[in-house]
Amino acid sequence: MTVKERVRIGGRSARIQSAVHDAVRKLGALSTRNQITVPQIAAEAGVTPSTIYRRWGDLSALLADVAVARLRPIADPDDTGAVETDLRAFIEQYAEEMSSPVGQALMRDVLSALKEGLPSACAGFTCDHLTTLNARAKARGETPFDIDEVIDHVVAPIIYRALFSEQIPTPDYCNRLIDRIYLPARKRRTAV
Amino acid sequence: MTVKERVRIGGRSARIQSAVHDAVRKLGALSTRNQITVPQIAAEAGVTPSTIYRRWGDLSALLADVAVARLRPIADPDDTGAVETDLRAFIEQYAEEMSSPVGQALMRDVLSALKEGLPSACAGFTCDHLTTLNARAKARGETPFDIDEVIDHVVAPIIYRALFSEQIPTPDYCNRLIDRIYLPARKRRTAV
DNA sequence: ATCCTTAACGCAAAATATTTGCATTAAGCT
DNA sequence: AGCTTAATGCAAATATTTTGCGTTAAGGAT
């Protein structure tokens, strides 16, 4: 009587999950973000609506589940050879993704769900990437940056602008944000 | 044949809008943020559901409308006599409001709506308050702060944490964020 | 003050979406 | 291979959203 796995992972269950996710992505791509319904998704995925309701609860929970899966990183950020350029390259790509219409919609889907923990999971993805960059830095003998500082003063402004204003952050803007992380240290070092 | 006002403002229309808003606030307060429906709101407000659908479109649009109305400032921030303390007092209260369960729910309601412009309107409220503080500063002969800098490095981190992490920003944390606005200028002045 | 136009509403039927009971399928384990 | 039961399909029941149409009442004009 093992009480280990109480949820089914393989076979049909996984096939349905994949089909439903694919259907959401396909329907979300066209039909510019309006009027997507559970019966529509079910038909596209070749599944009964009741299956979706039982597994995900409601539309917003399903959209959030798909959004988190799409926001989950599939690869480590590029290795440019040095921490600072690693960080600049990562942030530039991150800002572009999150400010795009798709990225904005994914964030809204995650935030709209009543499920607790999904938004913090997404923040965790970003934190993981920054930790990876720092691990590389340490392996190279470089001094790592302060992750919380980058989140507060580089990531947060980018996300705030993406969510609450219409303007997209330019690469130049991103670099100015990162300057605030690196320039003070340099000034202090050269001044003292 | 005047084409001035094409939307009705007074009388019954206003009464219904008020009753519906009140119903949303009342139902939103209890029933901890789950399972609130349009028919429920209609019954509480003493209106037909079809009225709500025709006026607001769907539930998320109604919730967003109510949320923006609640986020709209009703009074100017407190006047403490000096810009820096004005800013610290305002930010502390702002952080507390936005990080509270109610504040988080209001932000999610605004972001969840498909209506364009509502999130930027809310960002505008914050900007207006900061502009008010700066106007006071100028009237006093003080040097105003950089509004964009405060939004990027004080407001944005607070909102990012409220939305994407579970931790609430302490007053101490808020003050450290504001220190980054004021301390560099002081150091530069005293150093050079 | 009264009339006119029409935006906004109420009502009820229709269309659509969601929930639920029950039979069936197939994972995961022994 | 057999057993247990989570997960699904189907269809009925329930709830919701949409829509047509008659009625009410703002806002303006006479």
Side-chain angles (χ1 to χ4, degrees):
Chain A
M1 191 202 278
T2 54
V3 205
K4 304 181 72 172
E5 284 297 324
R6 306 310 298 162
V7 69
R8 304 204 166 169
I9 286 304
R12 181 172 65 168
S13 190
R15 241 179 355 257
I16 286 182
Q17 153 137 356
S18 174
V20 170
H21 274 230
D22 288 347
V24 170
R25 277 190 289 268
K26 177 174 177 182
L27 293 177
L30 43 100
S31 98
T32 48
R33 184 58 44 185
N34 48 353
Q35 307 293 85
I36 179 173
T37 71
V38 170
Q40 246 184 294
I41 297 167
E44 176 69 33
V47 193
T48 311
S50 62
T51 295
I52 294 181
Y53 287 116
R54 277 200 238 261
R55 256 182 95 152
W56 281 279
D58 62 352
L59 177 61
S60 67
L62 170 57
L63 294 181
D65 186 47
V66 174
V68 171
R70 292 186 70 176
L71 290 170
R72 186 185 308 277
I74 53 177
D76 282 345
D78 293 337
D79 189 334
T80 64
V83 229
E84 185 174 336
T85 50
D86 270 10
L87 182 60
R88 290 186 190 273
F90 167 68
I91 288 296
E92 184 170 331
Q93 180 181 340
Y94 175 82
E96 186 180 336
E97 284 181 12
M98 292 314 207
S99 307
S100 72
V102 173
Q104 293 181 27
L106 293 179
M107 284 192 289
R108 282 201 304 264
D109 288 346
V110 170
L111 292 173
S112 300
L114 299 331
K115 300 281 291 182
E116 287 293 329
L118 292 187
S120 60
C122 292
F125 299 156
T126 305
C127 192
D128 289 347
H129 272 160
L130 295 176
T131 303
T132 299
L133 296 188
N134 259 352
R136 273 188 208 149
K138 289 172 191 166
R140 292 192 198 106
E142 299 173 299
T143 60
F145 51 80
D146 185 321
I147 290 182
D148 283 333
E149 201 174 312
V150 170
I151 288 178
D152 278 347
H153 297 100
V154 180
V155 172
I158 290 169
I159 297 301
Y160 182 85
R161 287 180 176 237
L163 288 177
F164 290 98
S165 89
E166 258 100 68
Q167 52 192 328
I168 62 171
T170 61
D172 191 57
Y173 171 74
C174 294
N175 277 317
R176 279 201 302 275
L177 290 175
I178 299 179
D179 286 344
R180 294 176 64 103
I181 305 295
Y182 281 106
L183 287 189
R186 285 188 194 139
K187 274 189 179 171
R188 202 175 306 127
R189 202 185 319 133
T190 55
V192 176
Chain B
M1 192 202 280
T2 55
V3 204
K4 304 182 74 172
E5 285 296 323
R6 306 310 298 163
V7 68
R8 303 201 167 172
I9 286 301
R12 179 172 68 168
S13 191
R15 242 179 355 257
I16 286 183
Q17 152 137 356
S18 176
V20 170
H21 275 229
D22 288 346
V24 170
R25 278 190 289 267
K26 178 175 178 182
L27 293 177
L30 43 101
S31 98
T32 49
R33 183 59 41 186
N34 48 353
Q35 307 292 83
I36 180 173
T37 71
V38 171
Q40 246 184 294
I41 297 166
E44 176 69 33
V47 193
T48 311
S50 62
T51 294
I52 294 180
Y53 288 115
R54 277 201 236 263
R55 247 179 106 151
W56 282 277
D58 63 351
L59 177 61
S60 66
L62 170 57
L63 294 181
D65 186 46
V66 174
V68 171
R70 292 185 69 177
L71 290 170
R72 186 185 309 277
I74 52 177
D76 282 344
D78 293 337
D79 189 333
T80 65
V83 228
E84 186 175 337
T85 49
D86 270 10
L87 182 60
R88 290 187 189 273
F90 167 67
I91 288 295
E92 185 170 331
Q93 178 180 341
Y94 175 82
E96 185 180 334
E97 283 180 13
M98 291 315 209
S99 307
S100 71
V102 173
Q104 293 180 27
L106 293 179
M107 282 192 289
R108 282 200 307 263
D109 288 346
V110 170
L111 292 172
S112 300
L114 299 330
K115 300 281 291 184
E116 287 293 328
L118 292 188
S120 59
C122 291
F125 298 156
T126 305
C127 192
D128 289 347
H129 273 160
L130 295 177
T131 302
T132 299
L133 296 189
N134 258 352
R136 275 188 208 150
K138 289 171 191 166
R140 292 191 200 106
E142 299 173 301
T143 62
F145 49 82
D146 185 321
I147 290 183
D148 284 334
E149 202 173 313
V150 170
I151 288 177
D152 279 346
H153 297 99
V154 180
V155 172
I158 289 169
I159 297 302
Y160 182 85
R161 289 181 175 237
L163 289 177
F164 290 99
S165 89
E166 258 99 68
Q167 52 193 328
I168 61 172
T170 62
D172 191 57
Y173 170 75
C174 293
N175 277 317
R176 278 201 304 276
L177 290 175
I178 300 179
D179 285 344
R180 291 178 65 104
I181 304 296
Y182 281 106
L183 286 189
R186 286 187 196 142
K187 273 189 179 171
R188 202 176 306 126
R189 203 183 318 133
T190 56
V192 175

